[in-house]
């Protein structure tokens, strides 16, 4: 159980995972005892009801263990969770982890995960006014749309890029993206 917890916390990129998500992923009846032991030894830190690895443990564990299976499990878990339509507040609480995961999904060319994570995370980044993060999400979604040959998604992404450019006062860029979106939607 402790190795599962270590692995999941390592692939979360050093960001905290909530107790609820860890329990769902670990599926251990003695989760509370195990996490308490890890907290007591200083391997894990608590932030309310969320947990993260202490200090340099993330880089150490990722160098020692092959965690690709755990990363895929975490991506699957969060994609499935987002499909249930959780409240924006809950998505916001997991936003840092989700942003890390969407970048990893993009690097691994796991386009369906990019789409699921990106569509949910995008609105949180708008509300937080995290313009660069929003751009990164939209860029990943655009790559996914092209890889999946999903013209509807690509049109939506271009519209969002145009909206973002307009919010930032970039009129020419906004007009270009919005015209591209319109051309795709006309087809």
């Amino acid at each position: 159980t402790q190795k599962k917890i270590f692995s999941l916390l390592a692939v979360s990129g050093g960001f905290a995972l909530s107790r609820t998500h860890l329990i769902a992923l670990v599926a251990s009846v003695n989760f509370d005892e195990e996490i308490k032991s890890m907290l007591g030894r200083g391997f894990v830190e608590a932030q309310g009801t969320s947990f993260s690895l202490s200090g340099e443990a993330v880089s150490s564990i990722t160098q020692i263990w092959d965690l690709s299976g755990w990363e895929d499990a975490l991506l699957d878990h969060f994609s499935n969770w987002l499909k249930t339509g959780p409240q924006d507040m809950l998505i916001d609480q997991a936003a840092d982890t989700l942003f890390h995961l969407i970048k990893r999904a993009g690097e691994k060319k796991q386009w369906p995960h990019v789409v699921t994570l990106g569509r949910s995370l995008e609105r949180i980044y708008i509300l937080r006014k995290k313009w660069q993060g929003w751009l990164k999400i939209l860029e990943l979604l655009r790559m996914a749309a092209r890889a999946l040959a999903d013209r509807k998604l690509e049109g939506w992404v271009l519209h969002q890029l145009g909206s973002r450019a307009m919010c930032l006062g970039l009129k020419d860029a906004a007009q270009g993206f919005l015209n591209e979106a319109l051309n795709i939607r006309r087809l």
Side-chain angles (χ1 to χ4, degrees):
T1 299
Q2 288 187 9
K3 185 173 182 180
K4 289 178 184 179
I5 294 169
F6 272 125
S7 299
L8 289 165
L9 292 176
V11 297
S12 71
F15 299 105
L17 291 177
S18 75
R19 180 181 184 278
T20 305
H21 290 298
L22 279 171
I23 287 174
L25 285 154
V26 173
S28 171
V29 293
N30 60 345
F31 175 83
D32 289 324
E33 293 170 24
E34 298 292 350
I35 201 77
K36 186 177 179 181
S37 170
M38 295 170 80
L39 285 164
R41 288 183 282 165
F43 297 136
V44 171
E45 296 174 349
Q47 295 101 35
T49 59
S50 295
F51 304 95
S52 63
L53 289 180
S54 301
E56 300 297 318
V58 173
S59 62
S60 299
I61 290 174
T62 55
Q63 290 175 6
I64 297 171
W65 294 343
D66 174 18
L67 299 174
S68 56
W70 288 105
E71 187 171 66
D72 291 340
L74 199 60
L75 281 163
D76 288 341
H77 168 77
F78 275 108
S79 287
N80 291 332
W81 175 69
L82 289 168
K83 289 175 186 174
T84 68
Q87 296 175 345
D88 282 351
M89 176 188 71
L90 296 174
I91 298 170
D92 190 33
Q93 289 172 355
D96 292 334
T97 303
L98 294 172
F99 190 73
H100 168 74
L101 289 174
I102 192 174
K103 289 189 297 184
R104 290 294 300 138
E107 290 168 11
K108 296 169 85 171
K109 297 181 177 20
Q110 294 180 343
W111 305 123
H113 285 310
V114 169
V115 173
T116 302
L117 294 169
R119 295 287 292 228
S120 295
L121 194 55
E122 188 250 357
R123 69 178 178 268
I124 299 301
Y125 272 68
I126 294 169
L127 295 172
R128 284 182 167 189
K129 298 179 184 170
K130 290 190 159 194
W131 306 116
Q132 284 307 110
W134 185 18
L135 178 60
K136 181 65 177 171
I137 292 165
L138 291 173
E139 288 171 344
L140 286 166
L141 283 167
R142 191 172 186 189
M143 288 178 6
R146 287 178 173 167
L148 297 169
D150 186 336
R151 299 289 284 168
K152 183 178 176 184
L153 176 61
E154 186 174 5
W156 177 82
V157 170
L158 288 165
H159 181 271
Q160 295 302 91
L161 285 165
S163 298
R164 179 187 174 278
M166 188 63 74
C167 289
L168 295 173
L170 306 170
K171 185 180 175 189
D172 291 339
Q175 188 173 5
F177 285 127
L178 293 171
N179 283 334
E180 265 189 273
L182 183 60
N183 290 336
I184 286 174
R185 288 179 173 166
R186 283 184 178 159
L187 297 177

